[in-house]
Amino acid sequence: MGDGANDRGAGLTSFRRYTWLTVPGTAGCVQLLFVGEWILDEDVEVWARGPAAVALVVAVLASVVLLGRRLALLPVAGTRPGRLPMGWLIAACAAGAVLAVCPLAVRNYGLWAVAPAMVVAIVATYLAPSSRRPLIACAVVLASLPGAVVSLVAGDGKLLYATLFPPGLVAFTVWVMLGPLWAWDTARRLDDARRLEAEVAVKDERLRFAADLHDIQGHHLQVIALKSELAARLVEVDPGRAAAEMKEVRRLAADALGDTRAVVQGYRRTSLDDEITNATRVLAAAEIDARMTVEPATAVTELAEPARHLLGLVMRETTTNVLRHSSARHAEVDCRVTGGLARLRVSNDGADEHPPGTNGTGLGTLRERLQAAGGELTWDRDGERFVVEAALPVKPGNTGNGAAS
């Protein structure tokens, strides 16, 4: 039970204690009770009792150690848990042989198979199921032979009992040992799966937060940089407009701070209508002629909130990419609902030689989120024209978890 501390907090401490008492505890107690009672019987000859007593101590100790170590292992389904400690296995086999020979020599057909059955059960716990079954089958068959031979030679009329009881004892012992151990292994695997699921959930949440933070900060900072550059150019030729641009920079910085706080608190949701409005203003400030088409006119407001959120992220990312990665003079935004799908198409005529990549938290991440929501996101570059197209089901039931992340 040396690694019991690892199970604290996982709901397995009590179950591990119960399994330890059931498997190693039962193995030791059964041998002590049945073989020990026979050793203490004064009718048993001294020459058999002495070696049997020493072998009993070794057998109990080896059984407890071997099964205790087996409990600390977690086998992958269909594979063997690990290598047997050979020193303890040899000690258990030697003790089992002595505890089989001594009772069998005095024709005790019900006792001689106890220790060997324990050895077979212990070895079986360390084997994969494919190797375990042949071992158990062979052990059950062979267990009928020693008692049958001794009974035939002695002619004591106990042939049926001597032949059938030991195989039944072996099968029962293996079943008693493997049952609780199988339950323990299953519980361990389920608990590990639960822990892994929790870790994956935490990582997914971190990725979601990183993506949202990138969407907010990247967009705001790009616009702030653009307006600051514009103000720097205007400061000498048109101080009034330069001051107005710097006021806009200040407002954008305050918005970025507020949006960042909202993301940290988990309240902020990007929406398509807000992002289309924002894109119109930002692209105009960058002297990019932007044409916005929404059909029907109520298409955006009638979309389910998760779809508006995801398409809003696409709109924000593409607007940021136009400012950051292109020298566009014209841009087109087309949003329409057709065939049960909300389609968003954003294009510009100033794509550079290296359009925005698909790695990190940009279009590649958005593609994964739209696919998880039952939609798709594609982009294509044809000469200087770069086109991003997104599609999502209109019905809320089809937006999945990805849309809500």
Coordinates of all heavy atoms in Angstrom, one line a residue, residues 270-278 300-301 308 312:
T270 N -18.1 38.6 -28.9 CA -18.0 39.4 -30.1 C -19.3 39.1 -31.0 O -19.7 37.9 -31.0 CB -16.8 38.9 -30.9 OG1 -15.6 39.2 -30.1 CG2 -16.7 39.7 -32.2
S271 N -19.9 40.1 -31.6 CA -21.0 39.8 -32.5 C -20.8 40.4 -33.9 O -20.0 41.3 -34.1 CB -22.3 40.5 -31.9 OG -22.1 41.9 -31.8
L272 N -21.4 39.7 -34.8 CA -21.1 40.1 -36.2 C -21.6 41.5 -36.6 O -20.8 42.2 -37.3 CB -21.9 39.0 -37.1 CG -21.7 39.3 -38.6 CD1 -20.3 39.2 -39.1 CD2 -22.5 38.2 -39.4
D273 N -22.7 41.9 -36.1 CA -23.2 43.3 -36.5 C -22.3 44.3 -36.0 O -21.9 45.3 -36.6 CB -24.6 43.5 -36.0 CG -24.8 43.0 -34.6 OD1 -23.9 42.3 -34.1 OD2 -25.9 43.3 -34.0
D274 N -21.8 44.1 -34.7 CA -20.8 45.1 -34.1 C -19.5 45.1 -34.9 O -19.0 46.2 -35.2 CB -20.5 44.8 -32.7 CG -21.7 45.0 -31.8 OD1 -22.6 45.8 -32.2 OD2 -21.8 44.5 -30.7
E275 N -19.1 44.0 -35.3 CA -17.8 43.9 -36.1 C -17.9 44.5 -37.5 O -16.9 45.1 -38.0 CB -17.3 42.5 -36.1 CG -16.9 41.9 -34.7 CD -15.8 42.8 -34.1 OE1 -14.9 43.3 -34.8 OE2 -15.9 43.0 -32.8
I276 N -19.1 44.3 -38.1 CA -19.2 44.9 -39.4 C -19.2 46.4 -39.3 O -18.6 47.1 -40.1 CB -20.5 44.4 -40.1 CG1 -20.4 42.9 -40.5 CG2 -20.9 45.2 -41.3 CD1 -21.7 42.3 -41.1
T277 N -19.9 46.9 -38.3 CA -19.9 48.4 -38.1 C -18.5 48.9 -37.8 O -18.1 49.9 -38.3 CB -20.9 48.7 -37.0 OG1 -22.2 48.3 -37.3 CG2 -20.9 50.2 -36.7
N278 N -17.8 48.2 -36.9 CA -16.5 48.6 -36.6 C -15.5 48.5 -37.8 O -14.7 49.4 -38.0 CB -16.0 47.7 -35.5 CG -14.6 48.1 -35.0 OD1 -14.4 49.2 -34.5 ND2 -13.6 47.2 -35.1
V300 N -28.3 39.5 -40.1 CA -27.4 39.5 -39.0 C -28.1 39.3 -37.7 O -27.8 38.5 -36.8 CB -26.4 40.7 -39.0 CG1 -25.6 40.7 -37.8 CG2 -25.6 40.7 -40.3
T301 N -29.1 40.2 -37.5 CA -29.8 40.2 -36.2 C -30.6 38.9 -35.9 O -30.9 38.6 -34.8 CB -30.7 41.4 -36.0 OG1 -31.6 41.4 -37.1 CG2 -29.9 42.7 -36.1
R308 N -23.5 34.4 -34.5 CA -23.1 35.8 -34.6 C -21.7 36.0 -33.9 O -20.9 36.8 -34.4 CB -24.1 36.7 -33.9 CG -25.5 36.7 -34.6 CD -26.5 37.4 -33.8 NE -26.2 38.8 -33.6 CZ -26.8 39.7 -32.7 NH1 -27.8 39.2 -32.0 NH2 -26.4 40.9 -32.6
G312 N -18.6 36.9 -36.1 CA -18.0 38.2 -35.6 C -16.5 38.1 -35.5 O -15.7 39.0 -35.8

